[in-house]
Amino acid sequence: MPFGEQPAYLRVADDLRQQIVDGSLPPHTRLPSQASIRATYGVSDTVALEARKVLMAEGLVEGRSGSGTYVRERPAPRVVSRSGYRTLGDCSSFRQEQTDERVRGTWEGHSERIEAPPSVAERLRIEAGEQVMCTHYVFRTGSEPVMLSTSWEPLRITGRTPVMLPEQGPLAGRGVVERMAAIDVTVDNVAEEVGARPAMAAEARVLGGLPGHPMLVVFRTFRAGSLPVETAEVVIPADRFRVGYHLPVR
């Protein structure tokens, strides 16, 4: 089989990937065995094994104990809608992360007081080690977990106020804009950056999939003028969702 200059295991992975994409190897089909790959492509057992590892890392196939490796079903991606427009009123932690009003969901969260890691401190423009309230969220639509979020708020702003704990008090579970307004902090802008990285083991346990599968990560910071009042990282499975934005035209 004529190949180019790529390493042999990548060339084999490319060909198998194309068969998955074009439907020659449909979902739930068993991937050719290591011996079959070796014979078909004229490669060693090591090359065949490495090619299978590539497809597994990409989330295209999954191993089933005692049965073999199978093509994973690839559901049509759904959209997690986000918006630069935030307002007071009927807002919740779920609505803050998913602005499509047609999507109904629930969330659970827990908070703890921690010292700000350097990366968080930089985004909040505070000193590393300064006290922040860290809240971990799991968001679901129906029974399906769709997003994880970790947020950090400087206790120099919210400490000793009724909104210090996002999920407790008179505004428990409300969005950042409404909670900050209650302590006379007017949030008027939000910045987001979207990146990608492999899933960590703890994330994969909650969201499904395997460690190493791709995740979209939204880095979000709410500000009052130039003052950051909250920053968060929202983690979304990249094989099941896209991130869509609705931005006002000025």
Side-chain angles (χ1 to χ4, degrees):
M1 181 175 294
F3 283 132
E5 296 301 321
Q6 276 187 307
Y9 76 96
L10 290 180
R11 297 195 294 265
V12 173
D14 284 349
D15 192 65
L16 291 171
R17 185 188 304 108
Q18 184 57 45
Q19 293 180 55
I20 293 171
V21 170
D22 68 21
S24 300
L25 288 171
H28 309 296
T29 300
R30 185 175 180 180
L31 197 70
S33 68
Q34 193 163 310
S36 176
I37 293 174
R38 183 185 65 220
T40 300
Y41 295 95
V43 295
S44 66
D45 279 332
T46 300
V47 168
L49 178 60
E50 290 302 313
R52 290 156 67 93
K53 286 182 178 179
V54 168
L55 298 178
M56 191 167 291
E58 292 175 350
L60 296 174
V61 300
E62 61 185 356
R64 299 180 186 174
S65 180
S67 178
T69 304
Y70 291 79
V71 177
R72 293 183 69 215
E73 187 168 3
R74 302 177 68 197
R78 288 164 286 166
V79 176
V80 173
S81 296
R82 306 186 67 77
S83 174
Y85 181 70
R86 300 293 197 276
T87 185
L88 294 174
D90 185 17
C91 184
S92 68
S93 297
F94 181 87
R95 190 58 57 217
Q96 181 174 283
E97 306 301 357
Q98 165 64 282
T99 59
D100 189 338
E101 295 293 337
R102 297 167 297 180
V103 179
R104 301 294 173 183
T106 58
W107 75 94
E108 58 190 59
H110 70 275
S111 300
E112 58 182 334
R113 183 192 298 254
I114 67 167
E115 295 181 353
S119 61
V120 171
E122 181 178 1
R123 284 153 56 184
L124 290 174
R125 298 181 187 171
I126 61 177
E127 294 294 326
E130 187 171 321
Q131 292 287 298
V132 295
M133 188 62 66
C134 176
T135 305
H136 302 277
Y137 294 95
V138 179
F139 297 95
R140 293 183 172 87
T141 55
S143 61
E144 179 189 16
V146 298
M147 284 183 285
L148 301 177
S149 176
T150 304
S151 75
W152 299 267
E153 297 178 353
L155 285 173
R156 65 163 68 176
I157 295 174
T158 61
R160 300 175 183 266
T161 74
V163 300
M164 182 176 72
L165 292 166
E167 297 301 317
Q168 296 181 31
L171 293 178
R174 310 304 287 179
V176 171
V177 176
E178 186 169 353
R179 290 177 47 252
M180 292 297 168
I183 57 172
D184 297 323
V185 176
T186 301
V187 176
D188 56 15
N189 68 96
V190 57
E192 293 193 349
E193 297 179 0
V194 181
R197 62 166 171 75
M200 299 178 185
E203 295 166 344
R205 281 197 298 271
V206 176
L207 293 172
L210 296 170
H213 284 183
M215 294 286 174
L216 298 171
V217 184
V218 179
F219 302 91
R220 192 266 320 288
T221 303
F222 280 110
R223 299 188 181 96
S226 62
L227 175 68
V229 300
E230 187 258 17
T231 194
E233 293 182 11
V234 183
V235 180
I236 305 165
D239 62 341
R240 305 201 318 260
F241 296 93
R242 295 194 297 258
V243 176
Y245 284 88
H246 179 204
L247 302 175
V249 176
R250 300 187 184 279

